[in-house]
């Protein structure tokens, strides 16, 4: 069973910082044979989600590692055409394997369930895997989704990670298909990661703040 480690950089970093991050992460991983083996054997997959203009800046560099993929943090809900400022699934499809949709920070900016549904349709049309984020039971779960990230809003960026038993209680309530990958996100760090890695019930982690520094992200992934 693969464990997914998803780095969500949010609105951070410029080109130089992104390149430095990628160089540092590669150096750290290359000194860790256990981690190299875990990547080579698909025991883990690392998914890096920078802001969209930075994706192509680090893509080639990161391709030196196996089972490391790029993702975007959002996608346009529209089919291509007259939509100034939007980044569509067609454009992203050359660059990423995954896209985060429905993040609470986007929902807070007015993204609706209809928007999310349209985004999922766009992504699937271009064979990009949506990682659907929900804050709880009130958010709709689309049943053609393979990756579901449960991110309680009170836990995002607050240092108050939700304890494992509470995360698992929610998973039970969500009643997901057995094939759906269940991801937890919200103040995950190297100090609490062990809790989530100890169970097969959690397929991966979505990591914001603690992914911004390559050493701190490495320290999380290295706990595998
Ligand atoms: P956090 O962010 O790790 O900083 O809490 C997680 C997220 O928003 O995906």
């Amino acid at each position: 069973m693969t464990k997914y480690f998803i780095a969500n950089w949010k609105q951070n970093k410029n080109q130089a910082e992104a390149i430095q991050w990628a160089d540092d992460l590669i150096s750290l991983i290359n000194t860790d044979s256990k981690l190299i083996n875990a990547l080579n054997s698909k025991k883990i997959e690392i998914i890096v989600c920078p802001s969209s203009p930075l994706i192509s800046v680090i893509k080639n560099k990161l391709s030196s590692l196996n089972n490391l993929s790029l993702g975007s943090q959002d996608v346009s809900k529209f089919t291509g055409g007259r939509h100034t400022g939007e980044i569509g699934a067609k454009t992203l499809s050359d660059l990423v394997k995954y896209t985060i949709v429905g993040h609470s920070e986007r929902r807070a900016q007015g993204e609706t369930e209809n928007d999310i549904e349209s985004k999922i349709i766009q992504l699937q049309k271009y064979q990009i895997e949506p990682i659907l984020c929900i804050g709880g039971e009130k958010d709709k779960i689309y049943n053609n989704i393979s990756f579901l990230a449960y991110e309680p809003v009170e836990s995002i960026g607050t240092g108050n990670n939700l304890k494992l038993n509470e995360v698992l209680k929610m998973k039970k309530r969500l009643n997901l298909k057995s094939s759906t990958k269940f991801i937890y996100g919200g103040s995950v760090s190297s100090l609490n990661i062990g809790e989530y890695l100890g169970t097969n019930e959690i397929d991966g982690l979505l990591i914001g703040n603690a992914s911004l520094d390559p050493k701190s992200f490495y320290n999380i992934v290295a706990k595998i």
Side-chain angles (χ1 to χ4, degrees), residues 95-114:
L95 299 169
V96 302
K97 185 171 164 192
Y98 299 92
T99 290
I100 296 170
V101 270
H103 193 283
S104 61
E105 289 158 12
R106 297 240 51 85
R107 292 179 194 255
Q109 295 300 318
E111 184 180 62
T112 65
E113 290 292 0
N114 279 345

Side-chain angles (χ1 to χ4, degrees), residues 73-89:
Q73 299 171 13
D74 195 16
V75 65
S76 171
K77 64 181 171 183
F78 302 113
T79 308
R82 295 178 293 129
H83 302 288
T84 301
E86 294 286 345
I87 302 174

Side-chain angles (χ1 to χ4, degrees), residues 8 10 103 105 151 155-158 185-188 206-210:
N8 176 10
K10 308 190 178 185
H103 193 283
E105 289 158 12
E151 298 206 300
S155 293
I156 297 180
T158 58
S187 296
V188 172
L206 184 41
I207 305 142
N209 220 13

Side-chain angles (χ1 to χ4, degrees), residues 205-219:
L205 289 314
L206 184 41
I207 305 142
N209 220 13
S211 75
L212 293 177
D213 172 57
K215 179 85 170 113
S216 121
F217 184 59
Y218 164 79
N219 283 339

